Amino acid sequence: EKHLELLRSHGFELRPTRVPWDTPEDLWNWGTRVGDLLHAEMALVHGPWFDRFAHLYRPRTAEAVRMGQAISAERLRECRVARSNLANMLQEGASQTGIDCWVCPSASGVAPIGYGDTGDASMTSLWSYAGFPALSLPVFDVRYAMPLGIQLVAPPGRDEALLGWGTYV
């Protein structure tokens, strides 16, 4: 809220809007598509090397490649079409509501301590999947002395404007 007030003080008009993943079921469905696309494309990229060098891969990376190898070409096409549909829905929603960018959390909680976990990507992955530029800025949680994030997300092609807006947070 402190950062939203800061944006308002700089003349930003903030209004609530909806995203296509605003229910737990929608979030799960979109998140599954993101994961399937990521793993399938990872398997495609690593395909020329994986059979010969799988023993050199770290366990989680090897597991991700194997997951991708199990995804059918049809499912990969479905995920790519869904990505395009999501981008169109977001673009249409931005046009209909007259918004220039979305302001939302970067993660569902504070950053994890240590290097064993990069944290929860559910708040950022769908924007990336749709091809929308996002800028995540750290804000700190006094209770844990760990960063939280606020992200600004713009439609494709608005990268420079997005960077400019980020200077106000």
Side-chain angles (χ1 to χ4, degrees), residues 106-107 109-113 136-142 144-150:
S106 298
V110 297
I113 296 173
S136 181
L137 301 162
V139 295
F140 286 87
D141 184 298
V142 175
Y144 301 104
M146 293 298 293
L148 288 164
I150 186 169

Side-chain angles (χ1 to χ4, degrees), residues 36-50 57 60-66 68-69 76:
D36 286 353
L37 180 68
L38 172 79
H39 291 111
E41 290 186 342
M42 190 173 181
L44 289 173
V45 168
H46 288 267
W49 311 290
F50 191 71
Y57 281 67
R60 288 179 61 193
T61 305
E63 178 186 351
V65 172
R66 287 186 186 99
Q69 290 172 329
L76 177 57

Side-chain angles (χ1 to χ4, degrees), residues 48-76:
W49 311 290
F50 191 71
D51 288 339
R52 282 184 51 206
F53 301 109
H55 64 284
L56 298 175
Y57 281 67
R58 297 188 114 192
R60 288 179 61 193
T61 305
E63 178 186 351
V65 172
R66 287 186 186 99
M67 286 173 62
Q69 290 172 329
I71 294 169
S72 71
E74 177 59 29
R75 176 61 177 167
L76 177 57

Side-chain angles (χ1 to χ4, degrees), residues 1-168:
E1 284 300 320
K2 177 176 116 178
H3 295 282
L4 295 179
E5 283 306 316
L6 187 58
L7 288 170
R8 285 185 189 98
S9 75
H10 286 290
F12 287 80
E13 178 186 341
L14 303 176
R15 63 180 90 123
T17 187
R18 298 178 65 101
V19 291
W21 57 83
D22 61 354
T23 69
E25 181 179 317
D26 290 338
L27 183 61
W28 187 87
N29 288 331
W30 284 111
T32 300
R33 291 179 187 113
V34 170
D36 286 353
L37 180 68
L38 172 79
H39 291 111
E41 290 186 342
M42 190 173 181
L44 289 173
V45 168
H46 288 267
W49 311 290
F50 191 71
D51 288 339
R52 282 184 51 206
F53 301 109
H55 64 284
L56 298 175
Y57 281 67
R58 297 188 114 192
R60 288 179 61 193
T61 305
E63 178 186 351
V65 172
R66 287 186 186 99
M67 286 173 62
Q69 290 172 329
I71 294 169
S72 71
E74 177 59 29
R75 176 61 177 167
L76 177 57
R77 278 190 295 281
E78 288 172 12
C79 292
R80 288 176 173 162
V81 168
R83 175 179 57 192
S84 179
N85 292 341
L86 179 60
N88 290 335
M89 284 188 274
L90 289 167
Q91 194 80 285
E92 186 177 304
S95 295
Q96 288 177 350
T97 57
I99 62 170
D100 294 315
C101 80
W102 291 264
V103 179
C104 50
S106 298
S108 58
V110 297
I113 296 173
Y115 299 105
D117 184 7
T118 59
D120 178 8
S122 64
M123 305 293 277
T124 58
S125 62
L126 291 169
W127 299 109
S128 295
Y129 174 70
F132 281 54
L135 175 64
S136 181
L137 301 162
V139 295
F140 286 87
D141 184 298
V142 175
R143 293 169 295 171
Y144 301 104
M146 293 298 293
L148 288 164
I150 186 169
Q151 71 179 331
L152 306 178
V153 182
R158 302 294 314 271
D159 304 58
E160 288 184 26
L162 180 65
L163 291 172
W165 298 326
T167 63
Y168 294 102

